[in-house]
Amino acid sequence: MADLFDNNLVSASRLLDEALAGYRKSGRWDAPALIAYVARADAACMRGDLDRSLALAQECQRICAGRGERWAASWAEWIVGLRWWVVGDRVKGAMHLRGCLRSKDDLNDFLGIPFCLEVLAWVAASDEDAHRTAVLFGAAEMMWKPIGAQLFGYEILLDWSQQSRARSREALGEAAYDAARHEGASLTQGEAVAMALGGKVTSTKPPAAAPVTAAATLLTKREREVATLVHQGRTNREIAAELVISRRTAEAHVENILTKFGFTSRAQIAGWVASQQQW
């Protein structure tokens, strides 16, 4: 597992094969033995050995079914869903990933739920549903924070994730993409799961970036004008010309907005403006 987390897939595969050979010989299927199946199937998928990945995951599922085991079985189901997405079958991929998500939700598996949301975001990107992709990414991002490493740091999975993010961002534009991510980040775990399973959920919480009332209480009238122009994609020079102020003053207004909301980029300002129903 240490080799797997360090992205040493060849070494990890060899060691996991040795472990599985021992487990098969002993017939003792405890939790580490079953997770060895999942880890080996995961390594196979990331190395492009997709048939072996599917065979290992399904073998794990058969052993789990005979013992009433659900946790390792749900991870095996995730591997199956991922494998179908990799080969381009989005329908089968989504079916298995949603089945996995239902199990993860039932078990309250806080590690497994964001894994499901991530790959379902990739499925949405493949379906060219850019908004849904960004919302799912936003929800997953909030769940990765306490874990500490998105997708456990697996380089190939991170690369696939980045490709889907880029596709969604290009389709929506920076501002709308950030707004959709903020929408996802504002969902509770239950709301995110319900949405990922096909529902349309409106968050009961305020947007993660800032509350709806923040414009009235935090920003001056001039800062609201500047934020609107940032949302429109204007540069500081263009903002200065539009409002008949100096470029340095425009820059100061942008910096003030960033500071007041705790933002670090103009894209976050644009996304926040896009997420507001009214000023």
Side-chain angles (χ1 to χ4, degrees), residues 125 130-131 133-134 137 141 161-178 181 267:
H131 181 267
T133 301
F137 275 133
E141 286 165 11
S161 179
Q162 187 57 41
Q163 290 175 28
S164 294
R165 289 170 186 272
R167 184 183 303 177
S168 175
R169 186 182 289 107
E170 182 179 0
L172 292 176
E174 197 72 35
Y177 176 80
D178 279 347
R181 281 180 54 244

Side-chain angles (χ1 to χ4, degrees), residues 5-118:
F5 289 144
D6 283 340
N7 293 286
N8 298 322
L9 300 183
V10 174
S11 177
S13 298
R14 176 180 57 79
L15 291 168
L16 287 164
D17 281 339
E18 292 177 8
L20 284 172
Y23 285 127
R24 290 190 182 102
K25 185 176 180 179
S26 71
R28 180 183 177 188
W29 297 110
D30 54 13
L34 294 170
I35 287 301
Y37 262 112
V38 173
R40 183 62 182 90
D42 199 4
C45 189
M46 290 190 287
R47 293 180 66 189
D49 192 352
L50 302 180
D51 290 341
R52 182 165 176 75
S53 177
L54 181 62
L56 286 163
Q58 291 177 335
E59 185 177 352
C60 178
Q61 288 177 311
R62 286 193 294 271
I63 295 171
C64 291
R67 289 160 175 76
E69 199 285 336
R70 300 168 61 203
W71 181 65
S74 67
W75 281 112
E77 184 78 350
W78 182 83
I79 294 291
V80 174
L82 174 65
R83 185 264 184 192
W84 282 116
W85 175 81
V86 171
V87 301
D89 193 327
R90 302 189 300 274
V91 174
K92 285 186 178 179
M95 179 184 69
H96 287 284
L97 290 164
R98 287 174 179 150
C100 175
L101 181 56
R102 292 185 186 94
S103 297
K104 296 294 188 187
D105 185 48
D106 191 41
L107 295 167
N108 196 28
D109 183 354
F110 75 94
L111 290 176
I113 290 173
F115 268 89
C116 294
L117 297 181
E118 270 278 346

